[in-house]
Amino acid sequence: MTAKLYFEDFADGQRFEAGPFHMEADAIMRFAAEFDPQPFHLEPDAARTSFFGGLAASGWHTAAATMRLLVDGGLPIIGGVIGAGGEEIRWPRPVRPGDILRIETEVLEVRPLRSNPRVWSA
């Protein structure tokens, strides 16, 4: 795990990497059974005849795995990676069993929050 950093430790242009995260078939199906029970996430046979042409992880499973990677060092904020929101989320291609995920984050700008200048945003 990467050392956690305070606001003062961040600088524009800094980069952080985290991973790997191994996506396995049984985890894909368990996640889907609980949170996204669509056939292409749950049933390998049904998935073969779907748009995906095979078992694919739910986008929400991929997002949750990404959050894990952020917490593990992809964005090492001392108070935690607090969900202030995001502007955009996309899944440009399916995540499949056996895929290995890694992330890279870049600090674009370090500035105080306009809504509460005592709270910092990176």
Side-chain angles (χ1 to χ4, degrees), residues 10-30:
F10 287 96
D12 296 359
Q14 258 178 317
R15 292 179 180 269
F16 301 92
E17 296 179 9
F21 183 94
H22 298 266
M23 191 63 78
E24 303 298 338
D26 61 332
I28 289 171
M29 292 183 286
R30 274 195 321 272

Side-chain angles (χ1 to χ4, degrees), residues 28-82:
I28 289 171
M29 292 183 286
R30 274 195 321 272
F31 184 95
E34 188 165 353
F35 300 107
D36 192 353
Q38 299 183 77
F40 39 82
H41 301 318
L42 283 171
E43 304 163 18
D45 289 336
R48 274 190 279 286
T49 62
S50 76
F51 168 82
F52 293 110
L55 193 65
S58 166
W60 301 113
H61 188 181
T62 304
T66 300
M67 186 67 195
R68 177 61 193 241
L69 291 171
L70 285 169
V71 170
D72 284 351
L75 194 57
I77 300 171
I78 194 75
V81 181
I82 299 167

